[in-house]
Amino acid sequence: TFDVTFSTAGHNVPSTLYGLMYEDINSGDGGLYAELIQNRAFQQVTPGTSTALTAWAALGSGKISVVKSSSPVSPALPNALSFAVPSGTTSTVGFTNSGFFGIPVTAGWTYTGSFYYRTPSPPATKVSGSFTADLRSTGGTVFTSTTVPFTTSATWQQATFTFTASSTQTSVQNLFALSVGGSTVSGLTMEFTLISLFPPTFNGRTNGFRMDLSETLLDMKPAFFRFPGGNNLEGETAADRWAWENTVGDLVDRPGRVGDWGYINTDGLGLYEYLQWIEDMDMEPIMAVYAGYSLNGASVASSDMQTYVTEAINQASPIEFLINFVIGDASTNAQAAIRASMGHPDPFTLNYIEIGNEDFFSPTTYADYRWADLYNALHAEFPQLHYIATSATSGNVPSLSPAPTYWDLHIYSNPNFFINGAFNFDILSRNGLQFFQGEYATTTQNNGAALQYPFIDGSIAEAAYMAGFDRNSDIVFAASYAPLLNHVSSTQWTPDLITFSPNTVIRSTSYYVQQLFSLYKGDFYLTSTTNTASTPVQWSVTRDTSAGQYFLKVINTATSANTVVFTLPFTPSHTTGTGTILTAASGTQNTPTSPNAAVPSSFSFTAGKTIMYNTPGLSLSVLVVTD
Ligand code: AHR
């Protein structure tokens, strides 16, 4: 039996404690970003190659290829899909796109589409006709369609259309098709680009986020969103880094980039879209800036940091521009005016800037000049912001000058690490430092075997570690599991908190752990101790002061039951409490074929000054007691 007693001590729980870490790692294009067309603008591909045609196929006898347009739609989008129709063609011709490993067809959804087109050598007499835009099965059954009028012209025209699906298809093996009667376009060569199709989006935003994924995240009530990386901030080289200025403005002005996770980022999910969605989700951003270190292991040389830093003081730094885009005064600042022109005249909320991501991989250059160069310049310009330094482990922070107050720590390990590390933050001195556990996850079993999906043993071990976040939330101001999301058909990092397909979302066992800690965060931590060893049981008690509720979290990392007896510092007014428990047999995982193998369930219990709770093996329970 674990007897838990309380002292009079305690501390506030920061409102930022539980949130999300996000980067586009098999989860932005084709994931959070609701765009359904893959390779919509042929960004960053080499014309003439088959890879350039990824996701596209010809329909009928028309020939498609990706070309460098002689008159591109914009400097940012030099390529186009060339569609050549042989003379004498009479049957239907066109092309299809297979989406990001499928396209969902859902009854009642109105899809919004658009594309640019032109005829490089138009006939002397203009040709007019109609394209048909539709969603169809790979077998050719059309589910919804509309006609889109066109007239040949050497200059680019934009066509827009909508259609509404009247049935839901279980299979996502569907295609978007754009087709036209062959006799209308016989002998013509046309170019197309930025061919886009959106389903309804979260909060109805244009160029917005996927609804079901947003709602799944909203169900966690996350406090913050760390973005844009992660490694995807850094680029393979400095030239490839995430460059915010390429991600704002009209979609035709976004060139996209070769992301760090093996595919092209369209940057349709740009800085503005992220910030608007973060606001819609009632989160605050923790925004990272590039700090002169990239994944090829090279640091920007001290003399070259001028590009990133000195210009900041001269009002010409991409990073200062970035911050002014987010929080500047739109009436006086050019970057803030871009934000206003996109629809948000008021500044966004911004309190935290992280300087780099895992820059400890080059500790010498970070310590010698990169941290200081960026911190000094940015702090001088934006003294109201908190600057977070990146580091390796909680006990081993490098020596930086000026000394950071805020540190981001990352750890990926096995269940035993998290169980044994539950007191990692208790042993740190209270010297003013504040910690962000910006990335952590159980990635392997204790024997080292890799995990494709979180498993209950690891998720409960994470819960034990998270009791340490609650307990040490006087010095841990934020924590987020990573990675957040991955596509079931395309991934290179497992496990992830949430796995999705084009039409399903799988909440992992670790998702439910994160959700329970976030929903029952409270605003005050009550210090307590037990009479016995700290393992296998961990616990934490917090209070929601205005609701007059106490949250007793109990984590049992053993496979067998244990008993915990709480002697509360008050007598509850309600003698019946409500509880929520996540528990499952060792090895249990939520997977695409078994998405609900372990889900939380509720129960009631007798609440008094003393509460005896029998905690099942491998469980996280939250007991809610009313004062
Ligand atoms: O979360 C996946 C990766 O792990 C992140 O991009 C990086 O910061 C860490 O190494």
Side-chain angles (χ1 to χ4, degrees), residues 61-120:
S61 59
K63 302 268 178 285
I64 60 168
S65 60
V66 174
V67 297
K68 185 172 183 322
S69 178
S70 57
S71 175
V73 71
S74 68
L77 300 181
N79 299 331
L81 185 74
S82 173
F83 172 57
V85 183
S87 296
T89 302
T90 53
S91 56
T92 301
V93 287
F95 43 85
T96 63
N97 186 281
S98 52
F100 291 93
F101 319 102
I103 297 181
V105 176
T106 305
W109 276 11
T110 295
Y111 296 76
T112 306
S114 60
F115 57 89
Y116 286 86
Y117 69 96
R118 72 174 193 125
T119 311

Side-chain angles (χ1 to χ4, degrees), residues 21 23 25 230-232 261 357-358 410 412 439 482-483 493:
M21 184 276 169
E23 65 181 317
I25 167 171
N231 291 157
N232 206 35
W261 293 103
N357 171 66
E358 298 191 340
H410 299 175
Y412 297 97
E439 298 182 24
W493 183 298

Side-chain angles (χ1 to χ4, degrees), residues 7-26:
S7 70
T8 51
H11 53 77
N12 291 334
V13 175
S15 60
T16 48
L17 188 55
Y18 294 116
L20 309 175
M21 184 276 169
Y22 180 77
E23 65 181 317
D24 194 334
I25 167 171
N26 299 108

